[in-house]
Amino acid sequence: KYYPVPEHRECGDFDCYLLDGRYEDGNVLAEQNGAKVNREWYKHSQIYFRGMMAENHNFLVTTREGKSAKELNTILVDKLGDDLQPIKNTKILLPSPIFTALFVTYHSFSHFISEGIAIRHLCDWACFMKAEQNNFDWNYFYGFTCFYRTIYKVSSLRTFF
């Protein structure tokens, strides 16, 4: 959505979160349509279909890390349900800018800590900020990131766009 030429974005995995506790419904539907579903991890299943892998999320974060992780998941799920926008001519819904800001920050930080960050993560953030920096509550964002100690000079990235 945010890349000037979407084909230039390096492909990663496809993350899906079905609202209203429909995680297992998604797994069953995928299997009924010929996909292979790996349910080995509690956070998300992996759905393999026609050479593509999608992660069907039961949780948005690794909730077994403790109370703050469960709180983080609750906050993200609540924000995910706010102001969903359909992709043109589809039933696929995209989350609000505030959810995207919160989740991309958390997700990129978790990649950074566990395996390193890819240039794709920085490009995703830059393209997102160019398009959406005036469309969400920065005070809420800063409070969220400070509370979870995931802020790492995000404010300096904002000034470039």
Side-chain angles (χ1 to χ4, degrees):
K1 175 179 176 180
Y2 298 114
Y3 278 70
V5 181
E7 294 79 13
H8 289 174
R9 184 187 186 274
E10 177 188 342
C11 187
D13 61 3
F14 176 80
D15 291 297
C16 176
Y17 184 87
L18 301 174
L19 298 171
D20 303 322
R22 307 221 28 219
Y23 164 76
E24 189 54 29
D25 293 345
N27 292 332
V28 170
L29 182 63
E31 287 172 327
Q32 289 172 346
N33 285 280
K36 302 286 186 223
V37 178
N38 178 345
R39 294 176 175 84
E40 291 180 11
W41 197 30
Y42 79 97
K43 182 182 171 194
H44 60 72
S45 63
Q46 295 173 319
I47 299 173
Y48 297 92
F49 187 70
R50 296 184 182 172
M52 185 187 89
M53 191 273 285
E55 292 178 351
N56 179 27
H57 281 262
N58 193 21
F59 301 99
L60 296 170
V61 303
T62 50
T63 56
R64 291 184 181 166
E65 291 179 354
K67 182 181 176 184
S68 63
K70 290 175 185 166
E71 289 174 17
L72 173 59
N73 192 74
T74 299
I75 290 168
L76 288 172
V77 169
D78 288 346
K79 287 294 177 192
L80 178 60
D82 293 346
D83 194 31
L84 296 168
Q85 300 295 317
I87 295 176
K88 295 177 188 174
N89 303 318
T90 73
K91 294 181 181 180
I92 298 172
L93 301 174
L94 293 177
S96 68
I98 189 63
F99 171 84
T100 302
L102 299 175
F103 186 73
V104 168
T105 300
Y106 163 78
H107 192 71
S108 296
F109 186 73
S110 65
H111 275 284
F112 176 74
I113 294 297
S114 66
E115 62 200 39
I117 196 166
I119 191 73
R120 178 185 78 231
H121 297 113
L122 297 174
C123 290
D124 288 351
W125 181 254
C127 290
F128 168 73
M129 290 308 310
K130 184 175 182 183
E132 300 287 4
Q133 67 180 321
N134 297 320
N135 297 327
F136 63 88
D137 182 348
W138 277 97
N139 290 327
Y140 183 88
F141 175 80
Y142 288 137
F144 172 89
T145 54
C146 288
F147 181 73
Y148 288 100
R149 297 186 176 142
T150 59
I151 195 163
Y152 46 92
K153 301 294 182 188
V154 172
S155 58
S156 64
L157 291 176
R158 181 179 181 208
T159 61
F160 290 115
F161 306 103

